[in-house]
Amino acid sequence: VDYGKLKHTIHFRDAATPDKKAKPDGVRGCEIWHFIGTAAPTNADDWNYLATDTNSPYIAFQDAADAGKKVFYQLRWLSNSGERGEWSETIEATING
């Protein structure tokens, strides 16, 4: 995640080929989920769907009211057939105002 004023630029890559921008074979895109709070949620229902992006990077814009807060991101691949992959590690970032 790269930081900007009220935005985060989220870069995602296939762990098997981290030096390439290409998605894994058979993948439509990357689902991006987020949560704004003091700690990452332990309940899956607390995560909020942000977008499905087909090309890295994705730019997540934030509300000015959330400046200074923490945001947590989790990503997973979405296949062409609609199957969802495993969750990424949770990434923590601060919203710069």
Side-chain angles (χ1 to χ4, degrees), residues 78-89:
L78 178 64
S79 76
N80 290 328
S81 63
E83 292 181 51
R84 290 173 169 84
E86 297 294 319
W87 287 109
S88 69
E89 293 180 24

Side-chain angles (χ1 to χ4, degrees), residues 35-59:
F35 177 81
I36 297 173
T38 57
T42 55
N43 184 346
D45 293 336
D46 291 336
W47 288 93
N48 299 296
Y49 174 77
L50 192 57
T52 299
D53 194 23
T54 57
N55 291 309
S56 180
Y58 176 80
I59 299 176

Side-chain angles (χ1 to χ4, degrees), residues 1-10 58-64 67 71 73 93-97:
V1 175
D2 291 329
Y3 295 77
K5 184 174 181 180
L6 297 177
K7 72 177 182 178
H8 291 134
T9 303
I10 303 167
Y58 176 80
I59 299 176
F61 294 96
Q62 309 296 336
D63 292 330
V71 60
Y73 295 103
T94 300
I95 300 170
N96 294 333

